[in-house]
Amino acid sequence: MEVSLASTVLPIFAVIVLGYGAVRGGFFPREAIPHMGRFVVSYCLPALIFSTVASSPIGEVLNPHYVTVYALGSLLGFWLVYGLFRAVSGAQPLAATGSGMGVSVSNSAFVGAPVLIAVYGSLPANAFTMNLLVENVLILPMVLILFEFARSRNQGWAGLAAVSGVGRNLLRNPMLLALVVGLVCNLLGARLAEPVERSIGFLVSAATGVALFVIGGSLVGTRWGGRLGTILGVMAGKLLLHPLLVAGLVWLAPPFDPELQRIVILSAAMPMLSIYPVLAGRYHADSAYAAILLVTTLMSMLSLSVWLLVLY
């Protein structure tokens, strides 16, 4: 299992190092990194959300206990960390939202899936689909809405002006639009023409590689010392708090499939999604996000080994 974890995580670091070396060595302009990040957030991630939601057989795979446990555990993780950073460190709403996002959204697609395949021999499609639905239909939209409201406060909007401004921004947000269109297509049973599906597939396949390259480039010039508390706090929240909350909810929930109980805890123990620094950085320019992802993903090789020993 250690070899499987290494083969899952090391390619992530390889692309991050490539991006760092390209920018650090002057082979790639640092000024282009934000534009690449916008490409991921505006095109690649919406394509991933749409394809996931539109093609998931929602009615066939949903286990209400699993969905409830994973959703509540993720929500509790977000709000506990949000409140902690606001109360203890005096973080502003934008920064606290970014920290909460890092704790509550797992990298189910690019770390979770390979780990589950290593454990079970094939991907447990029902659990994997429920993870993506909770993350893309509940947690990410909530985070985006909170980011928009926090940004409106920074811009001095108040009352109805803030609500209308947030509403306009959300209606223009490509990720939420992709979610809505994906849900409509799913409910209507609509299927896209093959050329359109392949075009979307190209964008989906580009998401992780470009995002990781951007993360590496963003690390150039990052000062780690002053942000060590934030980095370690979010890392501990993701790798320890999130799975412990889910485990507690599994214990409190009515009995359901023991295999799904183990999977939902293991899913919460994954590091945060690879595009975390790109997505959070769209609203709050903070170089710590890239460092948080780097440290958390590295430490997940150790923490996941422990969780696997405990659960299996």
Side-chain angles (χ1 to χ4, degrees):
M1 183 54 62
E2 291 179 1
V3 175
S4 298
L5 285 176
S7 64
T8 298
V9 174
L10 288 179
I12 294 175
F13 287 104
V15 182
I16 291 175
V17 169
L18 179 65
Y20 180 88
V23 174
R24 181 74 176 178
F27 302 107
F28 195 88
R30 189 172 183 179
E31 297 76 17
I33 291 295
H35 299 290
M36 293 178 67
R38 282 193 287 273
F39 167 69
V40 173
V41 172
S42 299
Y43 296 96
C44 298
L45 185 58
L48 175 61
I49 292 173
F50 171 81
S51 62
T52 299
V53 174
S55 61
S56 299
I58 296 175
E60 299 175 15
V61 302
L62 288 184
N63 179 298
H65 299 311
Y66 186 105
V67 170
T68 301
V69 163
Y70 193 53
L72 283 179
S74 301
L75 289 171
L76 283 172
F78 176 89
W79 287 110
L80 282 173
V81 169
Y82 180 94
L84 186 65
F85 272 81
R86 291 279 285 150
V88 175
S89 64
Q92 295 300 308
L94 276 172
T97 301
S99 298
M101 177 187 176
V103 170
S104 57
V105 187
S106 292
N107 193 344
S108 294
F110 303 112
V111 177
V115 170
L116 289 175
I117 290 171
V119 173
Y120 292 98
S122 61
L123 184 64
N126 57 340
F128 180 69
T129 301
M130 287 187 285
N131 289 347
L132 294 182
L133 288 174
V134 168
E135 292 156 8
N136 291 308
V137 176
L138 176 63
I139 306 300
L140 277 179
M142 180 195 74
V143 169
L144 293 176
I145 290 169
L146 289 171
F147 268 133
E148 291 288 354
F149 271 105
R151 184 165 64 178
S152 74
R153 290 178 59 181
N154 282 0
Q155 293 174 343
W157 299 350
L160 291 176
V163 174
S164 62
V166 169
R168 286 194 300 271
N169 288 339
L170 290 174
L171 288 174
R172 293 195 295 262
N173 189 296
M175 287 173 288
L176 290 181
L177 290 174
L179 171 62
V180 172
V181 175
L183 284 172
V184 170
C185 289
N186 192 307
L187 294 173
L188 296 178
R191 291 292 177 266
L192 300 177
E194 184 178 350
V196 177
E197 286 188 348
R198 294 188 64 187
S199 299
I200 293 174
F202 290 147
L203 290 173
V204 171
S205 62
T208 303
V210 177
L212 293 174
F213 188 93
V214 168
I215 291 162
S218 302
L219 286 170
V220 176
T222 298
R223 296 181 178 179
W224 295 50
R227 309 310 308 277
L228 192 59
T230 299
I231 294 168
L232 295 179
V234 177
M235 179 197 72
K238 184 69 203 76
L239 301 181
L240 187 61
L241 177 65
H242 191 191
L244 284 176
L245 288 170
V246 170
L249 290 168
V250 166
W251 183 70
L252 292 172
F256 62 100
D257 185 348
E259 211 59 58
L260 288 179
Q261 292 180 7
R262 286 190 284 268
I263 292 174
V264 73
I265 297 170
L266 186 61
S267 298
M270 301 297 165
M272 68 277 294
L273 72 170
S274 301
I275 60 162
Y276 165 61
V278 179
L279 185 54
R282 180 186 183 191
Y283 293 92
H284 182 231
D286 190 340
S287 59
Y289 292 136
I292 289 169
L293 175 73
L294 188 68
V295 172
T296 304
T297 305
L298 177 62
M299 291 303 297
S300 71
M301 295 181 67
L302 174 61
S303 63
L304 282 173
S305 299
V306 174
W307 281 109
L308 286 166
L309 286 173
V310 171
L311 294 171
Y312 297 92

